[in-house]
Amino acid sequence: MREPVLLVIAHGSRDPRHAATVHALMRRVRAMRPGLRVETGFLDFTIPSVQGVLESLAAEGVRDVVALPLLLTRAFHAKADIPAVLRDAPRRLNIRQAEVLGPSPLLLSALERRLYEAGLTPADKSSTGVVLASAGSTDPEAIAVIAEIAREWRHTGWCAVRPAFASASLPRTEDAVRELRALGCSKVAVAPYVLAPGFLPDRIARGAAQADVLADVLGPAPEVARLLLRRYAEAAMRMPLSSRAAMSA
């Protein structure tokens, strides 16, 4: 039986670096799973749209799709926007919605990869404070997840780890950098907990001006690609959304 098409749903941005980074991640995913059909749709700003991709797949005769939110937390887009788009999909499609990527130990590995690529070494961990800088959200669940990730990451050997947010919530990146300086950390590093460049990641970068190290976005890190395929495999085993709706009717 043919395995479901993987439809990765990205947020989209006016910044062309965003789409370029998403496509680079998809190339890595395809390289890891050469036989898997991988499509990308965007919620806003960028084409193709999610709805357009779904309609094209249905017109081709595709039946089974795994829709995977390219998101790190379960905030508004995962809880409202994406389910709404999938409810309007062509009825012939059997769609399974995968979980968002985070939290996951693979993402922590990707964050550390980016920090080491930016100049840190494992020997620096005990003397380095890290700002876990995310885009931010008005969703309390998403904020709590970021704070918990920071607490867990601290136990892997860093001097300290503090969460920060580029929007909607506090503290800001620059405030967390100052706090880690005050704690006496010899170095301060900023690790953007974001997938692709754009307006908010640029704000994180500006807030990292007084840090010693600024890591790159997660982007097409191999750990992110592996996690994406893991979420796909988990969702492919579940019942399609259309079948669940029919059973509950």
Side-chain angles (χ1 to χ4, degrees):
M1 188 174 75
R2 182 174 298 178
E3 61 185 349
V5 171
L6 169 56
L7 170 59
V8 175
I9 301 177
H11 181 275
S13 171
R14 292 186 178 91
D15 189 324
R17 297 173 298 166
H18 175 90
T21 303
V22 170
H23 292 315
L25 175 59
M26 295 309 104
R27 287 194 293 272
R28 187 177 288 275
V29 170
R30 292 185 185 102
M32 288 183 174
R33 283 287 308 276
L36 176 63
R37 180 173 178 181
V38 181
E39 300 289 343
T40 308
F42 296 87
L43 289 172
D44 208 351
F45 303 119
T46 311
I47 55 174
S49 68
V50 178
Q51 188 65 32
V53 175
L54 290 169
E55 289 173 358
S56 294
L57 290 173
E60 288 180 32
V62 170
R63 293 301 302 269
D64 296 304
V65 176
V66 167
L68 193 155
L70 194 62
L71 301 169
L72 296 175
T73 59
R74 271 185 49 78
F76 182 79
H77 293 303
K79 294 178 178 179
D81 286 348
I82 291 174
V85 171
L86 297 182
R87 281 195 297 271
D88 289 338
R91 298 181 65 86
R92 66 170 288 117
L93 293 176
N94 296 319
I95 301 175
R96 299 163 173 85
Q97 182 176 337
E99 296 295 332
V100 298
L101 297 180
S104 168
L106 281 170
L107 291 175
L108 290 182
S109 296
L111 287 166
E112 295 205 356
R113 170 189 292 274
R114 293 302 188 224
L115 286 170
Y116 296 148
E117 289 171 350
L120 292 180
T121 70
D124 294 319
K125 288 188 77 167
S126 62
S127 60
T128 301
V130 179
V131 178
L132 179 68
S134 77
S137 174
T138 57
D139 189 304
E141 178 188 348
I143 297 303
V145 166
I146 299 299
E148 180 59 27
I149 292 170
R151 284 191 291 270
E152 290 182 4
W153 203 14
R154 162 68 181 83
H155 295 309
T156 66
W158 296 101
C159 175
V161 180
R162 293 290 185 272
F165 307 94
S167 68
S169 305
L170 295 174
R172 295 287 183 256
T173 302
E174 53 268 34
D175 300 325
V177 169
R178 284 192 289 269
E179 181 183 353
L180 290 171
R181 292 275 187 222
L183 283 175
C185 298
S186 298
K187 291 183 179 180
V188 176
V190 174
Y193 190 64
V194 294
L195 286 164
F199 176 76
L200 294 178
D202 284 349
R203 182 180 288 178
I204 290 171
R206 291 193 296 272
Q210 300 306 312
D212 300 292
V213 173
L214 170 63
D216 198 358
V217 298
L218 294 170
E223 295 87 354
V224 177
R226 286 201 297 271
L227 178 57
L228 198 150
L229 288 170
R230 179 179 297 178
R231 294 287 186 255
Y232 167 82
E234 293 165 351
M237 309 245 337
R238 293 201 296 268
M239 184 181 297
L241 297 174
S242 55
S243 299
R244 276 180 271 170
M247 290 176 65
S248 61

